[in-house]
Amino acid sequence: MLLVNAIFDVDFLKKHQLYVELGIDENADWSKFEIYQPYVRTIHLPYDALNLAARNAAERRRSIEVFKDIIHRAAIFDARTMILHPCGVFSFKGEDVGEYGFLIDSLRELADFADQRSVIISLENQVLRHPDLRIIAGCYADEWFQLHKDVARANITLTLDTSHAASAVAHEEVIGKRYEKLWDFMSKPELITHFHWSDARLQTNEAQWGDMHLTPGSGDLPREFHQAIMRHNGSKLFEQNCPPEVMESALAFARSLL
C-alpha cells in the first residue's frame, strides 16, 4: 500500500491508487480532514512540545494524555496503525530533562490504551540532531530496535524513516561505511510494518544533523535499498510535500523497482 501526505486532491489519489497518512497536531482542525476520510489508512501522531520521558511528572502526564485523546478521536478513520515519534527527550540545550525508564513506562501505557481500541502503535526512528540542541530516543538502529524490545507489547511495531536513518549514518567519515550502516536499519525487517520513504545524499555531508526528505530516486541512497523497501510488505508513505508532477516521478521510480 502506497500513501502520501494529505496535500493532494482526491482525483490524484484515485488516478494513482494512493491512500493518505494524516498528520494530526495537538490543536488540529479536524474538519479539514473530512475530504480524505475514505483514503486515510495511517495516522501520524503529534510530537512537538511533548516528552514521554520527562522527569517532570506533570509534563509527562500531559504528553501521555495528548496521545490518548488523539488515538481515541482518530477512531473515526479506517486507520489501525498510528505512527509515533518515541518523543523521549533526554537532554535539551544541555539540560537533562528525561529518563529512559519513564519513556518505556509511558510507551507501555499508550500501547495498552491503543490495544483496547485494536490500534497498532508504530515507533519511528528519529532524526539525529546536534547533541547541544537535544538528545532523543531512537536515532540509531540499535537504539530503535531496543525500544521495541523494551516496550514489549504485541501491538508495538516499527516505522522506518529513511531520511532520519540517513541523518544517523551521515557522520561516518568513510562514505562506504555510511551505506553499510544504513542497512543496519533493515536488519530486522520482520519488526517493520510501515515506512516513511524518502531519499537523501550520503556522498556529501548534507544529511548531518538534518532531515533531507527528498523524493525517492532523487538522492543517492542505493537502488537496492529502495528496492528492499518497495518489495517489503509494509505500507509506505511518500513523506514529501511537493507538486503533483514531482510525486508522479517518485511513483514511477518506486514502481520501477518491482
Side-chain angles (χ1 to χ4, degrees), residues 8-72:
F8 299 97
D9 63 37
V10 169
D11 287 341
F12 186 86
L13 301 179
K14 290 179 179 178
K15 177 181 178 181
H16 296 287
Q17 298 179 303
L18 297 171
Y19 297 95
V20 165
E21 178 166 306
L22 285 185
I24 302 181
D25 296 327
E26 183 178 351
N27 298 308
D29 176 4
W30 288 65
S31 65
K32 70 180 183 181
F33 303 142
E34 291 176 1
I35 190 174
Y36 292 110
Q37 185 154 358
Y39 302 95
V40 176
R41 293 297 180 271
T42 55
I43 302 289
H44 196 313
L45 297 167
Y47 49 89
D48 285 339
L50 299 170
N51 187 4
L52 294 173
R55 288 178 172 176
N56 183 300
E59 179 183 358
R60 194 167 68 251
R61 176 48 51 189
R62 190 191 82 84
S63 299
I64 291 170
E65 295 304 323
V66 167
F67 289 123
K68 284 184 175 181
D69 178 62
I70 293 178
I71 291 168
H72 175 71

Side-chain angles (χ1 to χ4, degrees), residues 55-201:
R55 288 178 172 176
N56 183 300
E59 179 183 358
R60 194 167 68 251
R61 176 48 51 189
R62 190 191 82 84
S63 299
I64 291 170
E65 295 304 323
V66 167
F67 289 123
K68 284 184 175 181
D69 178 62
I70 293 178
I71 291 168
H72 175 71
R73 295 178 66 189
I76 62 173
F77 300 108
D78 184 18
R80 298 275 64 85
T81 296
M82 301 192 185
I83 291 79
L84 175 65
H85 288 217
C87 291
V89 183
F90 305 131
S91 175
F92 183 69
K93 295 184 178 179
E95 179 184 357
D96 291 337
V97 296
E99 295 182 18
Y100 187 77
F102 289 145
L103 173 62
I104 298 304
D105 289 345
S106 298
L107 289 173
R108 286 174 176 171
E109 181 177 340
L110 286 175
D112 293 343
F113 179 85
D115 191 46
Q116 294 169 5
R117 291 153 180 79
S118 301
V119 167
I120 290 169
I121 293 181
S122 194
L123 302 178
E124 180 180 352
N125 61 303
Q126 298 298 276
V127 61
L128 183 64
R129 301 297 186 187
H130 195 286
D132 288 348
L133 175 60
R134 63 179 181 178
I135 299 173
I136 58 177
C139 296
Y140 297 102
D142 57 349
E143 295 176 343
W144 181 49
F145 291 132
Q146 191 65 44
L147 269 176
H148 179 273
K149 180 179 180 180
D150 290 344
V151 176
R153 292 294 189 270
N155 65 324
I156 291 287
T157 68
L158 296 178
T159 288
L160 174 56
D161 186 305
T162 54
S163 184
H164 293 178
S167 77
V169 304
H171 300 273
E172 295 290 337
E173 292 186 10
V174 179
I175 300 296
K177 191 69 172 177
R178 298 177 183 182
Y179 290 106
E180 180 183 331
K181 298 285 284 185
L182 182 66
W183 281 100
D184 288 349
F185 285 89
M186 286 289 283
S187 63
K188 297 182 180 181
E190 71 279 5
L191 302 181
I192 301 170
T193 58
H194 188 58
F195 294 87
H196 284 179
W197 192 6
S198 300
D199 217 324
R201 288 189 282 271

